[in-house]
């Protein structure tokens, strides 16, 4: 569920950029890279029956949402 939630928030932001509703910024690029790293850790945790801190996921999703407006 956390993976789906995170990718959905990211997809919404990327869609806004694609539609030229938002201009891409260096801050967005940095956050996209952080999101990629977190998603990779989340997938690894799923495959190995581990966990990722839900607070970290929530904070990152909040940052993505704030950039989307």
């Amino acid at each position: 569920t956390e993976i789906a939630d995170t990718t959905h928030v990211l997809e919404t932001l990327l869609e806004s950029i694609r539609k030229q509703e938002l201009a891409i910024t260096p801050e967005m690029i940095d956050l996209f890279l952080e999101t990629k790293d977190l998603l990779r850790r989340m997938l690894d945790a799923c495959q190995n029956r581990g966990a990722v801190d839900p607070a970290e996921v929530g904070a990152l999703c909040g940052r993505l949402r704030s950039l989307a407006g």
Side-chain angles (χ1 to χ4, degrees), residues 2-13:
E2 288 178 333
I3 292 172
D5 292 344
T6 304
T7 55
H8 179 71
V9 173
L10 177 61
E11 180 181 29
T12 300
L13 180 57

Side-chain angles (χ1 to χ4, degrees), residues 1-60:
T1 301
E2 288 178 333
I3 292 172
D5 292 344
T6 304
T7 55
H8 179 71
V9 173
L10 177 61
E11 180 181 29
T12 300
L13 180 57
L14 290 170
E15 182 68 14
S16 294
I17 293 167
R18 186 185 70 78
K19 290 180 177 179
Q20 298 180 345
E21 297 169 350
L22 291 173
I24 195 160
T25 65
E27 181 184 9
M28 287 177 181
I29 293 170
D30 290 343
L31 190 52
F32 295 157
L33 293 171
E34 285 181 51
T35 303
K36 176 202 60 92
D37 293 342
L38 180 60
L39 286 168
R40 181 172 288 161
R41 287 188 297 134
M42 291 166 72
L43 287 170
D44 184 56
C46 260
Q47 292 170 345
N48 296 307
R49 299 179 191 254
V52 174
D53 182 7
E56 180 182 5
V57 175
L60 186 124

